[in-house]
Amino acid sequence: MHATGTITMEQPSQKRVSKACDACKRRKVRCNGQTRCQQCAHLGLRCIYSPSGKQRSQGKRGHIISEFRNQTSTLPTISPPILPAHSGTSSFQTPYSPVSPIVDRNGGTPTFPSPSSASQYTKAYFLDLIPDYVDGVYPVHPVIAEYELRQYIEVMDNDPDVRSFVFAFGACTLNLTRYGDQRTDEVVQTIESLMDYSIDTMRRTHKHCQVSVMRAVQSMFIHNCLMSLSASDSAFYYMRDAITIIQLLRIDNPENVAQLSPPERSRRQRLYWQAYIHERFLAILDYRRAILPPLFTLPEDDPTLPIQIHEGFNQIIKLFRMLDTEFLDSWLDSQGGSVTSTWVEAKSRELEGDPEADARELAMLSMMQRADLCITREWLRTLVWRLAMSQTLLSSRSSKECLSLLFPVRLSQTLRQQLSSMSRQDIEVHGSSITQKLFEITDTIADVLIHVPAATIDETALRVDDFLFILDFVLLIPHLDQTRRGILQEKLLRLQTMFPEALSNASSPNLPLGSPGGANDPWYQVTQSKTAAGLEDLADELVQTQAQEIPRLEARSGQLATWNNISHRLSMQVAHVAQ
């Protein structure tokens, strides 16, 4: 009690935690030391307490700092970069590998372009994009974490390499998180401006070039933007640029990555697999050879990565591992390579997996991750079916779905159910890659509708209904380019001509059996598909073998109404698309 008569209560001192978990130590936040600490529980992180190393001996503070500097000068570090004490005297060093200063051929002070248009993009502008990055980009590109981005933005005015990367981050974030009504012409122009600035200020390769994770991710961000802008050749260039850096980082060398800490090793493995996925996708999309082999293992557990992101990313890797060398060789070979019925069945079983286990894994993922997994799986099934078609392995009478002519029609029913359960946001956030997958599926379904007749008019109505639902969904995606949009519109017009309006029972036409499209079919001209030609041949065979089984449209008002309903729906869709 003080002389004034007031009583002071001693505040209980906060209990000091003797040991923090790995995630809290790396993020440099307070840990409560519980079995699953409060921080990890809140963020959904793995809470791991690694065994402590040798205790540091007592000594003078200056001696300890000097010793620490000597140790870290020769070893790779994953700690956050140290910010410069003076803005004009220190250059930011990435936490993964040192960056050489810009070489000026005239011997002057290193500089980098600073166009007036770039001055409007301040630190505050990029900081405001971080929440969108965390929600829409990091789950599918889990390499550069939020805390690293904040440090990069903090020093972007002092280091041209970091500034160049930050502009690529901004472009990619806008590209993947601005969709639907938000993707205005102004947004697209901003994406292009940010991307162009990043490209213009990117360091040229020279004999003293040193590579980094940041630099590889920058090229992948640029690749992502170029794909959405339909610049496939330039996108391929930057994809290969990223792969070159990844190869120089020697992530596939066990002895090299063994020297890294577990979180950094896992992060680099995720970078490697990210490039693998993108390159395999390009191999299918643009018929290009892939050069990056798969790693022997999936990314290791990382306590700093949310479990949901870790599991979702691993599931995508497992799907794309199916695009192995044999698969790609068969896809790129005009003769179909070594595709047999046994091979098709094996790949189909691989895609089916364990339904119960898959359901449990999907339950823990976000809707955005589920959308990517579900659509990618259906896309891969379509690719396997196309390869089977190219080798005339399909039959209308096959009891095995993967070898059935009608598989894409059945797939359309499944895909419609999946799309109905997802929001457009969950799908469009994946950018041009998922748009291309949906296009390939929709285009294949259209060819089956055109070339393979249904047994009844009611079945035809169901097929057309599913197709129009999927078609309408795909045509509304902003990332769909005009070439592919035109292909789908052409298929829609062909379907419409197959169902002219029947004015009376007497004028009711027969069920359409499909007609060959020949060399003028845009399927051949643009997408180089392996499907349409085989479908036409098999459709002709199907007509001959089942001609007696396909009933004529009976003169009943119900069937006539169904026919005219199909005709009306197709006409309405054509008119809607033409607007």
Side-chain angles (χ1 to χ4, degrees):
M1 180 179 295
H2 292 282
T4 58
T6 59
I7 299 176
T8 58
M9 300 293 294
E10 291 188 3
Q11 297 295 329
S13 60
Q14 187 172 4
K15 184 178 179 180
R16 182 179 179 85
V17 177
S18 60
K19 185 177 181 180
C21 71
D22 295 351
C24 288
K25 280 194 292 187
R26 189 175 184 211
R27 294 173 56 240
K28 299 186 182 299
V29 297
R30 186 181 298 279
C31 180
N32 62 11
Q34 296 179 359
T35 303
R36 181 169 174 78
C37 75
Q38 185 178 11
Q39 292 281 350
C40 290
H42 176 68
L43 296 175
L45 302 177
R46 290 177 177 79
C47 195
I48 299 175
Y49 292 84
S50 297
S52 300
K54 183 178 179 180
Q55 294 295 321
R56 185 180 64 190
S57 59
Q58 297 295 325
K60 293 183 179 180
R61 183 173 181 271
H63 173 72
I64 295 172
I65 295 175
S66 176
E67 182 180 358
F68 175 77
R69 284 176 176 166
N70 291 335
Q71 291 174 349
T72 56
S73 63
T74 58
L75 295 176
T77 175
I78 62 163
S79 60
I82 300 175
L83 301 182
H86 303 286
S87 61
T89 60
S90 178
S91 176
F92 172 70
Q93 299 294 309
T94 69
Y96 318 111
S97 64
V99 178
S100 303
I102 287 182
V103 175
D104 185 82
R105 296 184 182 275
N106 298 321
T109 303
T111 59
F112 62 96
S114 181
S116 58
S117 60
S119 61
Q120 61 182 304
Y121 302 114
T122 62
K123 292 181 181 180
Y125 176 85
F126 292 111
L127 287 172
D128 287 342
L129 289 177
I130 288 182
D132 291 331
Y133 173 87
V134 172
D135 292 338
V137 181
Y138 190 64
V140 293
H141 293 271
V143 180
I144 303 294
E146 177 184 355
Y147 80 93
E148 297 169 279
L149 277 178
R150 293 188 180 278
Q151 291 161 350
Y152 289 144
I153 294 171
E154 178 65 26
V155 298
M156 60 181 286
D157 292 338
N158 306 318
D159 190 298
D161 292 311
V162 175
R163 183 176 178 84
S164 184
F165 167 80
V166 169
F167 273 73
F169 142 74
C172 185
T173 300
L174 289 176
N175 186 52
L176 291 180
T177 60
R178 300 298 187 269
Y179 32 76
D181 295 338
Q182 291 182 316
R183 199 174 183 85
T184 62
D185 291 341
E186 182 181 0
V187 168
V188 174
Q189 291 174 1
T190 301
I191 293 171
E192 291 191 40
S193 296
L194 292 170
M195 180 192 67
D196 289 343
Y197 183 86
S198 180
I199 292 173
D200 291 342
T201 58
M202 188 178 291
R203 182 196 303 275
R204 292 184 178 182
T205 303
H206 53 83
K207 65 179 181 179
H208 299 300
C209 170
Q210 295 190 20
V211 295
S212 68
V213 170
M214 182 188 75
R215 178 63 178 76
V217 173
Q218 179 180 0
S219 287
M220 294 188 69
F221 282 168
I222 293 173
H223 158 81
N224 180 279
C225 295
L226 289 168
M227 287 293 293
S228 296
L229 297 171
S230 301
S232 59
D233 287 343
S234 297
F236 175 71
Y237 173 89
Y238 282 98
M239 184 72 259
R240 281 292 171 87
D241 183 62
I243 290 174
T244 299
I245 296 171
I246 289 169
Q247 290 175 324
L248 292 174
L249 288 170
R250 298 192 299 163
I251 299 173
D252 57 342
N253 186 320
E255 294 181 359
N256 184 62
V257 296
Q259 303 175 26
L260 304 172
S261 68
E264 177 64 10
R265 185 163 57 247
S266 176
R267 192 260 285 273
R268 294 196 181 199
Q269 290 167 345
R270 295 195 299 272
L271 171 64
Y272 188 103
W273 279 114
Q274 187 72 46
Y276 175 90
I277 290 170
H278 280 261
E279 188 189 29
R280 298 283 154 152
F281 178 72
L282 285 180
I284 297 295
L285 177 63
D286 293 335
Y287 292 82
R288 303 182 190 271
R289 293 286 176 183
I291 62 174
L292 202 61
L295 289 177
F296 292 108
T297 62
L298 295 173
E300 299 176 14
D301 287 349
D302 181 353
T304 67
L305 188 70
I307 298 175
Q308 191 178 65
I309 295 178
H310 176 81
E311 293 297 335
F313 190 66
N314 281 359
Q315 291 302 315
I316 285 292
I317 293 173
K318 291 176 183 177
L319 286 178
F320 271 88
R321 279 199 305 193
M322 197 192 78
L323 298 179
D324 52 24
T325 301
E326 183 181 18
F327 191 109
L328 293 184
D329 287 345
S330 298
W331 182 262
L332 297 173
D333 184 358
S334 60
Q335 302 301 318
S338 58
V339 175
T340 63
S341 297
T342 302
W343 183 89
V344 172
E345 291 178 40
K347 286 296 182 184
S348 298
R349 285 194 300 270
E350 187 178 345
L351 281 169
E352 289 172 3
D354 183 344
E356 293 185 3
D358 291 343
R360 289 194 298 270
E361 291 171 349
L362 284 175
M364 67 180 298
L365 303 180
S366 67
M367 288 304 299
M368 180 180 73
Q369 292 172 305
R370 294 184 198 180
D372 193 15
L373 283 170
C374 292
I375 293 174
T376 298
R377 182 177 284 109
E378 303 306 333
W379 172 67
L380 289 171
R381 284 175 174 163
T382 303
L383 298 184
V384 172
W385 183 86
R386 285 191 186 183
L387 284 174
M389 168 64 70
S390 70
Q391 297 302 296
T392 63
L393 300 175
L394 305 182
S395 169
S396 61
R397 300 176 182 273
S398 176
S399 60
K400 297 176 179 177
E401 188 177 67
C402 61
L403 294 173
S404 170
L405 265 174
L406 299 177
F407 168 73
V409 174
R410 296 165 188 161
L411 184 148
S412 68
Q413 300 170 0
T414 303
L415 183 60
R416 178 177 182 174
Q417 294 173 355
Q418 292 172 343
L419 293 178
S420 299
S421 66
M422 304 170 187
S423 70
R424 300 195 71 91
Q425 175 180 343
D426 293 328
I427 295 173
E428 292 180 15
V429 71
H430 297 284
S432 60
S433 62
I434 208 163
T435 302
Q436 177 62 26
K437 294 170 188 175
L438 285 171
F439 164 77
E440 297 285 356
I441 297 171
T442 309
D443 197 27
T444 302
I445 294 170
D447 274 294
V448 173
L449 288 178
I450 292 170
H451 297 291
V452 183
T456 67
I457 187 64
D458 291 330
E459 182 181 343
T460 300
L462 292 175
R463 290 186 185 184
V464 171
D465 191 55
D466 289 336
F467 168 71
L468 291 181
F469 177 89
I470 298 171
L471 177 69
D472 188 59
F473 189 98
V474 173
L475 289 177
L476 288 175
I477 298 178
H479 287 294
L480 186 66
D481 61 83
Q482 291 302 316
T483 299
R484 292 176 175 83
R485 188 180 301 275
I487 292 172
L488 294 180
Q489 291 173 349
E490 173 67 19
K491 300 294 174 66
L492 177 62
L493 287 171
R494 291 182 64 183
L495 274 173
Q496 183 195 25
T497 60
M498 292 168 57
F499 291 90
E501 184 179 3
L503 301 179
S504 66
N505 291 343
S507 65
S508 300
N510 294 332
L511 278 173
L513 299 180
S515 57
N520 292 326
D521 192 327
W523 185 277
Y524 294 97
Q525 300 295 329
V526 182
T527 62
Q528 308 176 53
S529 170
K530 303 172 183 290
T531 307
L535 275 174
E536 290 172 2
D537 295 338
L538 288 174
D540 291 340
E541 179 183 347
L542 183 66
V543 171
Q544 295 174 6
T545 58
Q546 294 187 341
Q548 302 302 320
E549 301 176 14
I550 300 178
R552 295 178 61 85
L553 187 62
E554 298 180 8
R556 294 205 300 264
S557 59
Q559 289 181 320
L560 179 63
T562 302
W563 176 277
N564 282 337
N565 181 57
I566 296 173
S567 176
H568 177 70
R569 289 210 60 194
L570 288 169
S571 298
M572 291 290 291
Q573 185 69 32
V574 169
H576 175 69
V577 169
Q579 292 179 354

